[in-house]
Amino acid sequence: DQAQYYVSGDYSDDLGTYRLSGLEYARLTTASGGVAPDYSVYRPNELKQTSLRSNLHVQPMTSLDFTGNLGIVQSRGRLPQNDNNVTGVLPSGLFGRGQASSPARWGFFLPGDVFQILVQQDISRITGSFASNWRPTTWFTARGNVGLDYTGRTDVQFQLRGQGTNFSNFRQGRRSDNRFNISHYTGDVGGTASFSLTQTLNSKTSVGFQYLKDNFFGVLANGQVLPPGGKTISGAALRTATEQTTIAVTLGTYLEQTFAWRDRMFLTGGVRNDRNSAFGSKSRSVVYPKVQGSWVLSDESFYPRSLPISDLKLRFAYGASGQQPGTTDALLFYAAQTATVLSGSAPSDQPGIDLTAFGNTSLKPERSAELEAGFDAGLFHDAARLEFTYYSKKTHDALINRTLPPSQGIATARFENIGSVQNRGLEAQLSFTKNVTSSVGVDAALSFARNSNKLLSLGAGVPPIVNGNVRFVPGYPVFGFWDRPIKSFKDANGNGIIEPSEVVVGDTAEFLGSSIPKTTVTLNAGITLFHNKIRIGGQLDYRGDWKAYNLTERFRCVSIGFNCAAVNVPGAPLDQQARAVAAGSSTFGFTQAGYIENANFLKLREANITYYAPDAWARAIRATSMQISVTGRNLLKSTNYTGIDPELNGNGQSDFQDDFLTAPPIRTLAVRVSLGF
């Protein structure tokens, strides 16, 4: 009993949805003089991953224990060309003209050529931690934790000379090899003292110190114009290399005090002080306070037992936190430059530096303070539970990338703590479990969330920030869509075609809607049948009160080839014709308002059925239990959005959301057999 351990491992080999057709195989073979293409062209998107995990817990004495954790992940993924990418599969499909001949069927390049581009990512990740707890007395506990999360990542893109897409100089051969070392170090030392001040009042005091360090280092190498058969950057005629380094360190100390009265009223107060290497020299530390309390009202003797609310807990909380600036945002920053100077009568390249950022010695983190209140209630003798929370959050000193005047000497911007943002909303969840009959049971959890945010200020003298159709305007939601709206349109001559003279567009840009959903509703429900032998369940998900930018359709209709239905198919919906006319005409300022669409949707995220097999089935294969389940994901979608999927974002993790040539989530069906031994 003094030592326990756990070890597990996983291996997976997942193939994506793209495949090479027989016709493309024959074409590539013919194009290469009868030589069959490399086998890898058949697997343009694949992930192979191996992982190991282990835990060890040792307790040499009752007052002392140690815990160690180790995780190792090794993966190799091959990625398809995607998003804003002329060599992507989706752009070539969407911009094709649908004609019988193969070159006209695809907009840019044939799939086989695209699949000959190798895009590969190798990841080696190690996570480890060591923790100890020491209890020298019954009232005091000391703890210490250290941890490391290390990732070695290699991103490779390679195209052999004479193969792949004929774009730019790509068929002359190219290779990029980018290698990154990403490390996160953590350390935490603390202690907790617990006392009984009286028979009804208990106290718990915690103090601690934390050390956090993030280290990112990368080397990016690129080679173009490879010799025949060449596969290395060193063999390229044109070579470039750069380095990237960012280091951030945080030192934190905290104090927390909790009082508990009769195990039904709790009050906690705390304060935290952080120092971060990204702060300006005039703002080296920041203090974050917190206070929270709760009261189990139903435990009081005066609480009426006749109410349908069988138990009730009231709670409130107030706290502050911060968002750190970028690693070098506060620094006076120089960048290396190469200058050509005369050395005698001949020019030569010499190293130099150039001022690229003024920095900000007063830079500090964004500071957010939030107040929330709510309750947790058990209904009808805990047959159902209701949780409700209202919150109000205000962010001060928001980091705004303010453009500096040209008189400063360099055309650039710097981050300043001058903005403020407000978020208000509520969250609620109702859950219940009910046995309808002796053999039928039902369970469900319905959650609802509503958030409204508003930019209060950008700072004195700072105009609204414009990033294409997305703007930051005081008094409106952050990341709001703005453009000149289409006021009206009408097929006046009855020819079924909307012409520029039949469209009316507003004179100035107006707020069109939020790019972030304001309303979220999720339902998880299930039913068990035949005395828990079969369970059928699923999840419905709704997002409402938001807009999405259908840049893919706008690009098809206006920018490339005019090959969408709105400009080619007689009788196309008039509203789609009108938005194409407004977006493609300088008369209307090329407004994109028609492609900023209502993005509300309802999705069946998952549906599943599980059969708990009889014990006899399990014993037949020398097991103790058996479960068979079938799960489908991304099965159904209901929306008025005209694009592929309103949740797509061609900008990845960025909040600047637009749907631009991005592959949607795939529909999957999984069959699983689980055995216990």
Side-chain angles (χ1 to χ4, degrees):
D1 291 338
Q2 290 182 308
Q4 297 89 38
Y5 65 91
Y6 170 82
V7 179
S8 69
D10 295 280
Y11 173 78
S12 63
D13 186 351
D14 298 330
L15 287 176
T17 57
Y18 292 131
R19 293 290 189 275
L20 185 69
S21 69
L23 289 175
E24 279 295 275
Y25 171 83
R27 184 187 67 82
L28 291 176
T29 302
T30 302
S32 59
V35 179
D38 185 87
Y39 176 69
S40 64
V41 78
Y42 292 99
R43 303 163 78 96
N45 54 325
E46 178 188 26
L47 177 64
K48 292 184 177 181
Q49 180 170 293
T50 303
S51 62
L52 294 172
R53 295 181 298 276
S54 65
N55 304 327
L56 176 65
H57 180 263
V58 178
Q59 188 170 3
M61 57 184 70
T62 57
S63 61
L64 182 65
D65 65 79
F66 302 98
T67 302
N69 300 279
L70 179 65
I72 301 174
V73 177
Q74 183 74 44
S75 69
R76 167 164 290 184
R78 181 167 180 189
L79 311 174
Q81 303 288 313
N82 195 30
D83 297 317
N84 182 11
N85 186 342
V86 73
T87 64
V89 176
L90 194 61
S92 282
L94 291 175
F95 292 119
R97 299 191 178 277
Q99 299 168 359
S101 60
S102 187
R105 185 181 302 123
W106 294 90
F108 301 117
F109 305 108
L110 298 175
D113 294 327
V114 173
F115 293 168
Q116 285 185 319
I117 303 174
L118 174 67
V119 181
Q120 182 174 291
Q121 184 177 81
D122 292 345
I123 292 179
S124 299
R125 184 176 183 184
I126 298 176
T127 55
S129 66
F130 179 79
S132 62
N133 292 279
W134 181 42
R135 297 167 293 277
T137 67
T138 57
W139 55 268
F140 181 75
T141 300
R143 69 181 185 282
N145 305 283
V146 292
L148 167 67
D149 185 348
Y150 169 81
T151 299
R153 193 181 86 207
T154 301
D155 297 334
V156 172
Q157 187 163 178
F158 171 66
Q159 186 170 333
L160 196 66
R161 186 181 183 93
Q163 291 189 3
T165 57
N166 188 18
F167 177 73
S168 183
N169 66 343
F170 286 2
R171 285 184 70 88
Q172 296 182 40
R174 60 190 177 108
R175 182 182 180 90
S176 63
D177 191 331
N178 304 327
R179 308 195 175 203
F180 305 95
N181 292 323
I182 308 167
S183 303
H184 304 281
Y185 304 91
T186 60
D188 183 0
V189 177
T192 300
S194 301
F195 300 95
S196 295
L197 301 178
T198 67
Q199 291 184 345
T200 58
L201 183 62
N202 297 322
S203 169
K204 184 172 71 174
T205 305
S206 299
V207 295
F209 171 82
Q210 292 181 335
Y211 170 84
L212 309 172
K213 182 179 181 180
D214 296 330
N215 194 343
F216 177 93
F217 175 74
V219 175
L220 292 75
N222 180 270
Q224 300 183 47
V225 187
L226 300 175
K231 297 183 179 181
T232 63
I233 294 175
S234 58
L238 304 174
R239 300 185 296 270
T240 59
T242 58
E243 292 184 12
Q244 297 177 349
T245 303
T246 57
I247 300 175
V249 177
T250 300
L251 299 177
T253 55
Y254 62 89
L255 170 65
E256 181 180 273
Q257 175 64 49
T258 299
F259 293 104
W261 182 68
R262 299 175 62 188
D263 285 335
R264 64 187 63 174
M265 295 187 67
F266 303 88
L267 181 64
T268 299
V271 63
R272 179 185 177 92
N273 179 273
D274 275 353
R275 296 171 60 89
N276 188 278
S277 59
F279 297 172
S281 58
K282 296 182 179 179
S283 179
R284 282 303 185 185
S285 66
V286 61
V287 176
Y288 302 119
K290 76 169 185 179
V291 60
Q292 62 190 55
S294 62
W295 181 17
V296 185
L297 187 62
S298 55
D299 283 353
E300 300 294 348
S301 58
F302 58 79
Y303 186 80
R305 305 301 167 186
S306 59
L307 293 178
I309 304 176
S310 50
D311 68 79
L312 177 64
K313 180 173 74 173
L314 307 179
R315 49 182 167 76
F316 80 94
Y318 170 84
S321 63
Q323 175 67 40
Q324 316 298 358
T327 306
T328 59
D329 290 344
L331 300 179
L332 179 67
F333 202 74
Y334 297 89
Q337 302 288 346
T338 300
T340 301
V341 298
L342 287 176
S343 178
S345 59
S348 63
D349 291 339
Q350 299 292 330
I353 58 174
D354 189 16
L355 177 65
T356 58
F358 283 115
N360 184 355
T361 58
S362 300
L363 197 65
K364 53 188 176 182
E366 289 186 350
R367 183 183 180 86
S368 298
E370 180 173 339
L371 175 65
E372 66 176 49
F375 62 85
D376 302 331
L379 308 177
F380 308 107
H381 303 288
D382 288 339
R385 292 203 62 81
L386 175 62
E387 301 174 10
F388 178 86
T389 302
Y390 170 81
Y391 63 87
S392 178
K393 176 181 177 181
K394 189 172 183 180
T395 299
H396 301 272
D397 302 325
L399 293 165
I400 303 297
N401 198 20
R402 181 177 187 175
T403 301
L404 299 177
S407 59
Q408 295 284 346
I410 56 175
T412 187
R414 74 172 185 179
F415 281 96
E416 298 181 3
N417 298 101
I418 52 178
S420 59
V421 181
Q422 185 179 71
N423 280 271
R424 290 177 177 172
L426 56 89
E427 299 172 350
Q429 177 172 300
L430 177 64
S431 59
F432 70 90
T433 301
K434 176 68 174 178
N435 290 325
V436 181
T437 67
S438 60
S439 62
V440 178
V442 178
D443 61 270
L446 177 66
S447 61
F448 172 86
R450 174 75 179 180
N451 174 272
S452 62
N453 75 75
K454 181 170 64 175
L455 178 63
L456 300 179
S457 173
L458 280 173
V462 179
I465 298 173
V466 179
N467 190 327
N469 299 314
V470 175
R471 298 189 180 187
F472 294 80
V473 180
Y476 291 89
V478 297
F479 297 102
F481 284 121
W482 292 70
D483 215 328
R484 298 171 63 195
I486 299 175
K487 296 292 188 179
S488 64
F489 58 87
K490 183 179 181 181
D491 181 17
N493 55 18
N495 64 355
I497 299 175
I498 296 294
E499 300 172 0
S501 60
E502 298 172 329
V503 180
V504 178
V505 174
D507 296 329
T508 58
E510 297 180 9
F511 175 68
L512 302 177
S514 171
S515 64
I516 302 172
K518 294 183 178 180
T519 303
T520 300
V521 182
T522 302
L523 173 64
N524 287 279
I527 181 171
T528 57
L529 305 171
F530 308 112
H531 301 283
N532 294 326
K533 291 297 183 182
I534 295 178
R535 188 182 190 280
I536 302 172
Q539 182 187 83
L540 286 171
D541 201 7
Y542 171 79
R543 299 286 187 274
D545 302 316
W546 68 300
K547 298 290 183 71
Y549 181 24
N550 191 352
L551 181 54
T552 297
E553 190 66 8
R554 183 261 179 202
F555 207 62
R556 295 180 67 211
C557 292
V558 179
S559 299
I560 299 292
F562 301 99
N563 68 335
C564 74
V567 297
N568 287 287
V569 179
L574 297 183
D575 61 332
Q576 295 186 21
Q577 293 188 47
R579 68 181 184 177
V581 169
S585 174
S586 60
T587 304
F588 305 121
F590 305 105
T591 178
Q592 315 306 313
Y595 295 98
I596 297 172
E597 305 181 30
N598 184 337
N600 298 351
F601 68 81
L602 176 65
K603 289 186 177 183
L604 178 59
R605 297 282 190 187
E606 181 176 303
N608 57 73
I609 180 170
T610 301
Y611 176 60
Y612 299 88
D615 292 342
W617 291 22
R619 288 194 298 268
I621 55 175
R622 298 179 182 268
T624 57
S625 64
M626 175 187 291
Q627 298 176 19
I628 304 172
S629 62
V630 179
T631 302
R633 295 185 177 89
N634 299 316
L635 298 177
L636 297 174
K637 174 179 60 182
S638 176
T639 180
N640 291 324
Y641 182 69
T642 63
I644 298 177
D645 193 303
E647 290 189 287
L648 294 182
N649 189 355
N651 293 319
Q653 300 292 330
S654 171
D655 288 318
F656 289 94
Q657 189 270 348
D658 60 52
D659 169 10
F660 191 38
L661 304 174
T662 301
I666 61 175
R667 182 178 295 123
T668 62
L669 181 67
V671 179
R672 178 187 297 270
V673 178
S674 302
L675 302 174
F677 295 92

